[in-house]
Amino acid sequence: MNRACLKKETGYTLLELLVALAILSLLTLTLLSTGFSSRDPLSQAAYEAECEEILYALLQYQNESIMDGYRREVRFRDAGIQIIWTINGVIHRDYIPVETMTFAGDYTAGDVLIFYDHGTVSRAGTLSLQGHNGMIRKIIVQLGNGRIYLNEP
């Protein structure tokens, strides 16, 4: 047998590479023209995730006040949530920044939401989470049992 016939050729021809590049460029152009690059779905997902993060943070601080017996004061600022509590004379502060929303509602005009050591809250109210994408979700705080929940979109 001839050794030249047994030898396999490896690699791609120039024509195959050009066809692959043409197909990729057409796909990219199609995706860009249909709005695939739009940030709206991504910003909506980021907003929803941040709403959930705020809810879980509030529930966490409420549970911590029950567990250690010290009240937590929650203030809603322009760029985030500030939590302050004092244990044995030492002031502790946490800050949770927000990027996709602003706050409006009952707790934003300098009012403080307080979590007491037995799980109740200082006052009932509604906090609107106004997304930069136009969406609005609300966190509802109930008086009495101190239940906190996020409304459905």
Side-chain angles (χ1 to χ4, degrees), residues 53-112:
E53 178 185 354
I54 290 169
L55 173 67
Y56 292 133
L58 292 174
L59 292 171
Q60 173 192 343
Y61 286 109
Q62 184 182 32
N63 286 332
E64 286 179 7
S65 67
I66 294 169
M67 297 299 290
D68 64 18
Y70 295 97
R71 72 183 204 164
R72 303 307 198 264
E73 296 178 2
V74 181
R75 290 178 173 84
F76 297 92
R77 306 289 188 198
D78 291 335
I81 302 171
Q82 181 183 32
I83 303 94
I84 302 171
W85 68 101
T86 304
I87 299 177
N88 299 327
V90 177
I91 297 174
H92 299 273
R93 297 174 192 264
D94 275 350
Y95 188 77
I96 302 169
V98 294
E99 297 176 359
T100 63
M101 68 183 67
T102 57
F103 301 113
D106 294 329
Y107 303 108
T108 57
D111 293 334
V112 178

Side-chain angles (χ1 to χ4, degrees), residues 12-26:
Y12 299 101
T13 65
L14 182 59
L15 182 61
E16 290 171 328
L17 290 174
L18 289 174
V19 168
L21 286 174
I23 291 172
L24 284 175
S25 64
L26 285 174

Side-chain angles (χ1 to χ4, degrees), residues 130-148:
Q130 299 175 343
H132 300 310
N133 57 3
M135 295 187 66
I136 297 177
R137 301 275 312 266
K138 293 182 180 183
I139 291 181
I140 293 94
V141 179
Q142 293 180 342
L143 196 60
N145 61 4
R147 181 172 179 240
I148 302 170

Side-chain angles (χ1 to χ4, degrees), residues 44 47-48 52 135-138 150-153:
Q44 181 175 350
Y47 168 76
E48 291 291 333
E52 296 285 332
M135 295 187 66
I136 297 177
R137 301 275 312 266
K138 293 182 180 183
L150 184 65
N151 73 331
E152 294 299 319

